[in-house]
């Protein structure tokens, strides 16, 4: 990419989160990621460069070690002409969601991150003319806390995601509770995984998005009619899974296409495309903690059928879900056990603020930082070193709990040989695919008190909601025979 010949018309708005905004190139499989700030908050160019470089270093030196070479794309920091950035900012402004416009694109430093466009197949540098489908899944935390530091018994039975759903619906963030439970997706059992993926498709919230040729066609935060949405989605998906167009446009066609998508996604999620892994780090036994969540709709259906045991096939060690779960399980103490250790570090930093750099709170994220994360000890010796290690492990675990998995799919031509690209079969076609992991910025040290407060709020609200439901179920209706007390009026 020639930074000296930048044309804003070659770039289009791709999406944004709370901290950054992304634009995609029309011809090349690359994106630019810019930081965002409140209008009255100007940061020095040097500070912005260091922030972006820390993101690159953390991805390259830490997350690539945990996930493997093939799954992590670290990118690089680039400096762009300021006039290009300002023209680009004006060009995309109308496409930005109103809810995100409280922060502005950084037009002062000229620094951005250049990354591969993960909605495209990662085996090509230029945009292909063949259709490409990309499914973005944010799987969330895939285990129930096993730490003895947990004081709320409910947390040993119900996963964080299922509990949090009740609070989110009560506060108006979502209209209804999703049937998705992360433990079903991470189970490795195909029946449970199918149920989890269908649940995400029914109530995507911000945990699932689908792109076609780089354009968002499904998902996002807007609540829509799922039946009409599925019909429209099936229309987009049909050429990928039924290229001969052998199905009529009827409800059973929609179900068949969605079923094919779910089947293919499950196969890809259970596959491994990184033969070089595992690395040197020791994995956590997958048997720790319960294998099912009591609040899971799948679990509840089985209990209604008189079945009390869920099949847990386990994940293949090379697949991305397995690796994601392993990194998440660096959180060995839960926030309840971690918070006192955070307080120990914080007290030290208040006494010796100049030590923040020495402790690598804000980087550099190098080989030494990574090596310290490999200490699996949970015996607190009362030292600052122990507390700091657990705090850093927790931050990395929280990053893995909030990452996204990008699955790009493209139909194979009839005479095309697999070559270097992995292939997944569907009923009527073969699809080349690539799998990547996204959103790997290290969670801020300063967010730990918020996580501690939020955890208490989630558990408290869920416990109250369950008590209210139990009370309602145990209380008989006041006017049970109301149907027998109908008053009939006759003409006089």
């Amino acid at each position: 990419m020639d930074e000296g010949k930048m044309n804003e018309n070659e770039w289009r708005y791709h999406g944004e989160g709370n901290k950054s905004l992304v634009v995609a190139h029309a011809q090349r499989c690359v994106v630019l990621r810019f930081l965002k700030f409140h209008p009255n908050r100007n940061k020095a160019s040097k500070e912005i460069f260091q922030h972006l470089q820390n993101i690159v270093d953390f991805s390259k030196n830490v997350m690539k070690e945990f996930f493997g070479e093939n799954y992590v794309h670290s990118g690089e920091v680039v400096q762009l002409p300021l006039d290009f950035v300002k023209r680009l900012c004006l060009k995309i402004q109308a496409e930005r969601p109103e809810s995100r416009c409280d922060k502005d694109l950084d037009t002062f430093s000229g620094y951005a991150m250049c990354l591969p466009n993960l909605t495209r197949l990662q085996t090509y540098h230029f945009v292909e003319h063949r259709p490409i489908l990309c499914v973005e899944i944010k799987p969330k935390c895939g285990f129930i806390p096993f730490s003895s530091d947990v004081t709320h018994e409910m947390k040993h039975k119900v996963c964080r995601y299922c509990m949090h759903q009740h609070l989110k619906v009560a506060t108006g963030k979502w209209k209804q509770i999703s049937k998705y439970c992360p433990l079903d997706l991470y189970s490795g059992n195909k029946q449970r995984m199918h149920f989890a993926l269908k649940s995400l498709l029914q109530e995507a919230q911000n945990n699932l998005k689908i792109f076609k040729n780089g354009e968002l066609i499904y998902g996002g935060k807007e609540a829509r009619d799922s039946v009409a949405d599925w019909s429209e989605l099936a229309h987009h998906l049909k050429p990928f899974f039924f290229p001969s167009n052998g199905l009529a446009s009827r409800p059973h066609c929609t179900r068949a296409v969605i079923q094919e998508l779910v089947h293919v996604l499950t196969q890809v999620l259970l596959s491994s495309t990184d033969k070089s892994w595992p690395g040197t780090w020791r994995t956590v036994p997958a048997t720790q903690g319960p294998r099912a969540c009591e609040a899971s709709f799948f679990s509840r259906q089985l209990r209604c059928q008189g079945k009390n045991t869920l099949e847990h096939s386990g994940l293949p060690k090379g697949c991305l879900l397995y690796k994601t779960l392993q990194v998440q399980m660096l959180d060995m103490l839960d926030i309840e056990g971690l918070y006192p250790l955070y307080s120990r570090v914080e007290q030290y930093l208040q006494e010796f603020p100049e030590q923040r750099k020495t402790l690598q709170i804000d980087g550099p994220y190098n080989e030494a930082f990574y090596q310290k994360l490999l200490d699996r000890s949970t015996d607190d010796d009362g030292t600052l070193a122990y507390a700091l290690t657990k705090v850093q492990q927790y931050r990395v675990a929280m990053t893995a709990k909030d990452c996204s998995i990008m699955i790009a799919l493209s139909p194979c031509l009839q005479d095309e040989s697999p070559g270097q690209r992995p292939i997944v079969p569907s009923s009527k076609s073969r699809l080349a695919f690539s799998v990547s992991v996204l959103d790997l910025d290290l969670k801020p040290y300063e967010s730990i008190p918020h996580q501690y407060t939020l955890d208490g709020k989630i558990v408290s609200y869920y416990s109250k909601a369950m008590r209210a439901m139990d009370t309602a179920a145990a209380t008989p209706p006041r006017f049970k025979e109301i149907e027998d007390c109908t008053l009939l009026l006759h003409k006089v």
Side-chain angles (χ1 to χ4, degrees), residues 216-375:
L216 182 67
I217 60 168
Y218 189 84
K221 293 194 174 184
E222 298 81 11
R224 297 185 245 174
D225 177 12
S226 61
V227 176
D229 246 13
W230 271 31
S231 178
E232 184 183 338
L233 177 61
H235 175 74
H236 284 293
L237 298 179
K238 202 172 172 185
F240 290 89
F241 302 109
F242 296 97
S244 61
N245 200 27
L247 288 178
S249 298
R250 294 178 181 173
H252 76 269
C253 165
T254 298
R255 287 195 297 271
V257 173
I258 296 295
Q259 187 62 39
E260 280 297 309
L261 173 65
V262 167
H263 175 66
V264 165
L265 291 178
T266 301
Q267 289 184 81
V268 171
L269 287 170
L270 291 174
S271 71
S272 171
T273 60
D274 196 338
K275 306 303 179 187
S276 64
W277 198 87
T280 56
W281 67 298
R282 183 169 59 87
T283 59
V284 176
T287 53
Q288 287 189 284
R291 291 181 169 185
C293 165
E294 285 190 3
S296 159
F297 278 76
F298 189 89
S299 304
R300 280 150 58 178
Q301 281 184 1
L302 283 189
R303 287 199 295 272
C304 288
Q305 296 167 10
K307 300 174 183 177
N308 294 319
T309 55
L310 278 180
E311 285 191 35
H312 183 96
S313 306
L315 292 165
K317 289 192 176 182
C319 77
L320 187 52
L321 277 180
Y322 179 88
K323 298 177 187 183
T324 306
L325 183 59
Q326 293 298 312
V327 184
Q328 291 178 356
M329 292 174 82
L330 284 170
D331 174 17
M332 293 170 279
L333 304 176
D334 187 70
I335 187 63
E336 290 189 67
L338 187 279
Y339 193 73
L341 301 178
Y342 162 80
S343 300
R344 186 186 302 171
V345 176
E346 186 62 12
Q347 184 178 352
Y348 179 83
L349 286 175
Q350 286 176 2
E351 291 182 36
F352 308 101
E354 71 282 358
Q355 291 294 307
R356 188 179 176 103
K357 187 174 181 179
T358 307
L359 299 183
Q360 291 183 278
I361 299 293
D362 309 305
Y365 303 122
N366 50 21
E367 172 69 16
F369 182 92
Y370 168 72
Q371 288 297 329
K372 289 173 186 175
L373 298 171
L374 305 182
D375 180 4

Side-chain angles (χ1 to χ4, degrees), residues 105-323:
L105 178 75
D106 166 32
T107 56
F108 298 99
S109 73
Y111 289 112
M113 281 175 63
C114 183
L115 297 148
N117 186 342
L118 297 183
T119 65
R120 302 283 184 173
L121 282 175
Q122 292 311 298
T123 47
Y124 292 95
H125 298 295
F126 289 89
V127 172
E128 288 191 285
H129 294 295
R130 69 173 70 190
I132 295 179
L133 189 73
C134 177
V135 181
E136 177 182 347
I137 300 171
K138 196 178 279 289
K140 305 303 281 188
C141 182
F143 71 97
I144 288 178
F146 48 84
S147 169
S148 58
D149 293 300
V150 170
T151 58
H152 304 281
E153 186 60 29
M154 187 68 70
K155 286 169 66 175
H156 285 310
K157 299 176 181 178
V158 180
C159 78
R160 164 73 170 254
Y161 181 88
C162 288
M163 282 196 284
H164 203 175
Q165 282 287 301
H166 287 262
L167 181 61
K168 286 181 175 179
V169 171
T171 53
K173 183 167 185 180
W174 305 121
K175 288 190 175 179
Q176 61 186 29
I177 289 171
S178 169
K179 291 182 180 179
Y180 171 69
C181 175
L183 268 71
D184 290 331
L185 187 67
Y186 285 94
S187 68
N189 175 269
K190 289 185 179 179
Q191 189 181 5
R192 290 176 67 183
M193 293 179 74
H194 283 196
F195 184 88
L197 290 167
K198 282 183 180 176
S199 299
L200 278 177
L201 284 162
Q202 285 173 335
E203 194 67 33
Q205 296 183 0
N206 61 350
N207 297 110
L208 180 137
K209 294 175 185 174
I210 300 178
F211 302 84
K212 183 179 178 182
N213 302 329
E215 299 283 346
L216 182 67
I217 60 168
Y218 189 84
K221 293 194 174 184
E222 298 81 11
R224 297 185 245 174
D225 177 12
S226 61
V227 176
D229 246 13
W230 271 31
S231 178
E232 184 183 338
L233 177 61
H235 175 74
H236 284 293
L237 298 179
K238 202 172 172 185
F240 290 89
F241 302 109
F242 296 97
S244 61
N245 200 27
L247 288 178
S249 298
R250 294 178 181 173
H252 76 269
C253 165
T254 298
R255 287 195 297 271
V257 173
I258 296 295
Q259 187 62 39
E260 280 297 309
L261 173 65
V262 167
H263 175 66
V264 165
L265 291 178
T266 301
Q267 289 184 81
V268 171
L269 287 170
L270 291 174
S271 71
S272 171
T273 60
D274 196 338
K275 306 303 179 187
S276 64
W277 198 87
T280 56
W281 67 298
R282 183 169 59 87
T283 59
V284 176
T287 53
Q288 287 189 284
R291 291 181 169 185
C293 165
E294 285 190 3
S296 159
F297 278 76
F298 189 89
S299 304
R300 280 150 58 178
Q301 281 184 1
L302 283 189
R303 287 199 295 272
C304 288
Q305 296 167 10
K307 300 174 183 177
N308 294 319
T309 55
L310 278 180
E311 285 191 35
H312 183 96
S313 306
L315 292 165
K317 289 192 176 182
C319 77
L320 187 52
L321 277 180
Y322 179 88
K323 298 177 187 183

